[in-house]
Structures are given as C-alpha cells and as structure tokens.
C-alpha cells in the first residue's frame, strides 16, 4: 500500500506512485460498468469509503458497494423527475447523501433505509450543485439562476439566499468551514463569509475563461480549480495565491480531485483521458485512456488510492452520444491486482 503521507523529497513519492499504478493495478485504464440508462454527471464517496454514489441524466441516483474491486449496485434513489446533477455525502455522517436535481428539488437519503427519501427540499429553480459544510450543519445549493441558498440541516429551513450577478459554477467550503468559495463565469474565485455570503477579499483572478470547478485537498493545504482555458490551477489555501498550473489538457477542465493524502491530483477535461499528476512537482504520474470518451467527473476514494470517474460518452467518430444512447458507465481505477 502507498503511504498516506509524502516525504520531503517528493521525487521518492512520485517514483513510488508511478510503480504502484504500473505494477499493482489490475486494469491500467480502469474497470468499467454500465450503471445508469443515461449519462453519469456526478460521483461521490462517503467519508468512510464504504459507498459510492452517482447522479445521472436518467433522473435517478444510485449507491454502490465495491466488492472484489468491482462496482456493485446497492440502492437506487428514485423520485426525481429530471437530471440528478449532483450527489453529495454528509461529511459528518457517512450514511446520509443529498441529491440535487433540475426538477427544482433536493432530496436527502439514508442508505440504511432502503432508498426512501428522508427529506425533500423544494427550491426555486433548476439545481446545479449542492455541497455540505464540514460539520454537516449547513447545505448550500446553487441553481441555474445563479442563486445560492443555505439550509440549516437540523431544521431544513432556508437561512440565507443570495442572487449573484454572474454565473455561479463550483462551490466549496474550506476544510475548516471558515470560508466559502465560488467559481464563476468571470474566471474568478470569490471567497465569501459562509454566514453572510459577502466577500472577505477581492475576487481571485483564476482563469482566462470560465472557472468551472473547485476542490480542496483533504489536508486543507491546497485547493484546485479547473477552467475553460484548459488549465488546472493549484492554490495555497492560506495565502490565496496560485502556486502551480497543470497545462497539458487541451480542452476545458471539468473536474478535479485530490487523493486521500493530498499528494495526487486527477484532472478530467474535454480530452479522451484522465490525468493523474503529482501535486508537489506537477509531474505526470499516470494517464488513463478512455478511447473516444471525454472526462467529465472524478472522485478519489478517501482511504485508498482508488479513483472513480465518469465520462462524456462519444461514438467511434468522437461525436457526443445522446442520453438515450449513453450506457451510463462508471469507471474504477486503482484496484489492487492481488
């Protein structure tokens, strides 16, 4: 097993990571399984890594177990009437997951209750994103009208709603829960007070085009953003400065994710592969080839060097498949060979 920390000589870690994926991984480009009847647009692991959830254009969510390195469906989450745009596990409760849909609703589920919705939450517009605060007491939701709503998860009452005069894309609290970050259509990162959603500093100029996604590492040292300028940017979370960019992708960076120890970053872009890079050196560790499919969403296991990902499926000529023609594939990379 790879260590959950990195030595000061990061070249040692890089070499070990390369050997790990080359010598100990069963499927060099990941195993894959049809899991939905439409494109998979969201993935997420619970805090213990015992379950993986997905959201799809087929209007359902699903929860899976991983057995023998393979994906096994456990529960299907039914009730939404439009695309499930986002799944998000409560970081303070490994049993609870939220689904956000374009049907103007959020649903809260407990996997122990056989796929029954525990709490429906109505919203005012088609939902695009949903994230929990680190303590699990607040849920933030954004919609296509660029409104961010905050809900107290102990009462499910809306505590704050704010409309922004720009496109709101990704959202994330920092690991301490003291700051709330938005990525915008202006190419910026807005750093906000999570109690008021007011700016605490000037917007950070991040990308030349749309700033699409954001992810904090599990240690809280860095966060990463992806943009339509084909860059993934690494930021010092304390100093709020960009320390490195990963510029090999040629298309928009749709999703980024950090490994359990914060030393590897996976990048999904409008290219037919997923890149895994060293956070500290920027070096390419491994490339997962997806035939003609473009990367769409990545999610690292919180306890193992295992990556789940889904793609924007393409036909043999590279044209996007319709949702009806999509096989709803979820890929799993990094499962041990032994």
């Amino acid at each position: 097993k790879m260590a959950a920390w990195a030595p000061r000589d990061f070249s040692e870690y890089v070499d070990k990571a390369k050997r790990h994926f080359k010598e100990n991984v069963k499927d060099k480009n990941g195993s894959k399984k049809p899991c939905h009847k439409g494109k998979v647009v969201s993935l997420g692991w619970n805090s213990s890594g015992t379950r993986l959830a997905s959201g799809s254009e087929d209007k359902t969510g699903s929860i899976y177990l991983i057995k023998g390195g393979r994906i096994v469906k456990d529960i299907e989450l039914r009730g939404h009437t439009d695309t499930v745009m986002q799944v998000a596990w409560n970081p303070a409760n490994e049993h609870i997951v939220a689904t956000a849909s374009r049907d103007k609703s959020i649903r809260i589920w407990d996997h122990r209750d056989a796929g029954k919705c525990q709490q429906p939450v109505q919203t005012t517009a088609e939902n695009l994103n949903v994230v929990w605060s680190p303590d699990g007491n607040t849920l933030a939701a954004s919609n296509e009208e660029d409104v961010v709503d905050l809900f107290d998860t102990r009462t499910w009452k809306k505590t704050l709603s704010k409309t922004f005069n720009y496109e709101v894309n990704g959202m994330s609290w920092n690991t301490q829960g003291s700051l709330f970050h938005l990525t915008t259509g202006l190419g910026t990162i807005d750093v906000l007070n999570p109690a008021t959603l007011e700016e605490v500093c000037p917007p950070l100029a991040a990308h030349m085009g749309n700033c699409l996604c954001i992810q904090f590492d599990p240690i809280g040292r860095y966060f990463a953003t992806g943009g339509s300028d084909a860059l993934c940017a690494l930021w010092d979370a304390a100093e709020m400065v960009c320390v490195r960019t990963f510029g090999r992708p040629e298309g928009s960076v749709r999703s980024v994710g950090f490994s359990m120890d914060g030393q590897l970053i996976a990048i999904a872009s409008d290219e037919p592969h997923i890149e895994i890079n060293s956070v500290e050196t920027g070096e390419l560790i491994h490339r997962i080839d997806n035939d003609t499919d473009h990367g769409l969403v990545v999610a690292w296991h919180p306890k193992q060097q295992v990556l789940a990902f889904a793609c924007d499926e393409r036909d043999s000529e590279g044209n996007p498949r319709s949702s009806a023609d999509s096989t709803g594939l979820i890929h799993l990379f990094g499962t041990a060979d032994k």
Side-chain angles (χ1 to χ4, degrees):
K1 295 182 179 180
M2 292 182 62
W5 55 271
R8 291 189 180 276
D9 180 5
F10 294 108
S11 62
E12 179 184 341
Y13 185 95
V14 167
D15 291 342
K16 188 174 182 180
K18 288 181 177 180
R19 289 197 306 271
H20 170 75
F21 291 127
K22 181 179 181 180
E23 299 173 3
N24 300 318
V25 173
K26 185 185 301 184
D27 298 306
K28 303 310 176 188
N29 292 317
S31 61
K32 56 187 176 182
K33 180 177 179 178
C35 295
H36 284 274
K37 296 178 181 178
K39 185 192 301 180
V40 177
V41 295
S42 179
L43 291 170
W45 296 91
N46 67 351
S47 58
S48 64
T50 56
R51 282 170 172 79
L52 175 70
S54 63
S56 170
E57 289 182 346
D58 69 4
K59 307 175 187 179
T60 70
S62 289
I63 296 175
Y64 312 90
L65 300 170
I66 308 301
K67 295 184 177 180
R70 301 295 175 181
I71 299 168
V72 179
K73 184 174 286 191
D74 183 31
I75 300 169
E76 192 165 80
L77 308 176
R78 291 187 170 273
H80 286 296
T81 58
D82 206 335
T83 299
V84 177
M85 294 295 294
Q86 189 72 34
V87 293
W89 291 91
N90 185 337
N93 187 332
E94 65 176 338
H95 307 297
I96 304 298
V97 65
T99 55
S101 172
R102 286 190 175 275
D103 66 5
K104 302 182 183 180
S105 79
I106 298 166
R107 290 174 176 260
I108 310 301
W109 315 78
D110 186 326
H111 75 78
R112 297 168 296 184
D113 198 14
K116 296 179 182 178
C117 176
Q118 303 294 306
Q119 180 70 50
V121 181
Q122 294 304 126
T123 59
T124 58
E126 296 183 17
N127 298 297
L128 301 178
N129 205 348
V130 65
V131 291
W132 298 80
S133 61
D135 62 9
N137 290 334
T138 305
L139 189 75
S142 66
N143 62 44
E144 66 170 7
E145 295 180 356
D146 302 313
V147 175
V148 176
D149 294 323
L150 301 183
F151 298 90
D152 185 328
T153 62
R154 294 158 292 191
T155 62
W156 289 110
K157 292 183 178 180
K158 187 186 297 184
T159 59
L160 185 63
S161 183
K162 182 172 181 178
T163 301
F164 292 85
N165 61 359
Y166 48 74
E167 181 179 318
V168 174
N169 294 318
M171 305 188 297
S172 181
W173 269 270
N174 63 354
T175 53
Q176 296 81 18
S178 59
L179 296 172
F180 189 69
H181 299 65
L182 297 181
T183 62
T184 80
L186 303 176
T188 61
I189 306 163
D190 279 14
V191 185
L192 312 177
N193 181 329
T196 64
L197 296 183
E198 298 296 330
E199 291 183 353
V200 299
C201 65
L204 307 177
H207 294 271
M208 294 299 292
N210 228 319
C211 187
L212 298 172
C213 56
I214 184 170
Q215 181 77 39
F216 274 77
D217 79 19
I219 302 169
R221 180 179 44 189
Y222 299 120
F223 64 89
T225 58
S228 61
D229 56 0
L231 289 177
C232 172
L234 183 72
W235 297 79
D236 185 300
E239 300 295 331
M240 298 289 181
V241 295
C242 181
V243 296
R244 179 172 297 107
T245 59
F246 305 88
R248 278 180 293 270
E250 294 180 1
S252 296
V253 174
R254 300 291 178 183
S255 178
V256 295
F258 289 93
S259 60
M260 61 176 184
D261 53 8
Q263 290 299 314
L264 301 176
I265 185 168
I267 302 171
S269 67
D270 291 343
E271 290 189 279
H273 53 257
I274 305 291
E275 287 193 351
I276 298 174
N277 299 275
S278 165
V279 168
E280 296 293 350
T281 70
E283 190 172 348
L284 178 66
I285 301 295
H286 190 85
R287 177 175 287 174
I288 307 168
D289 292 322
N290 302 326
D291 298 324
T292 59
D293 295 346
H294 291 188
L296 189 62
V297 58
V298 294
W300 281 100
H301 192 286
K303 306 292 184 182
Q304 303 174 33
Q305 300 290 21
V306 172
L307 182 71
F309 64 95
C311 296
D312 185 5
E313 296 179 36
R314 306 285 170 133
D315 61 24
S316 59
E317 296 180 355
N319 300 311
R321 294 184 187 274
S322 68
S323 187
D325 293 332
S326 173
T327 56
L329 292 174
I330 296 177
H331 303 247
L332 202 63
F333 171 78
T335 54
D337 196 16
K338 297 180 180 180

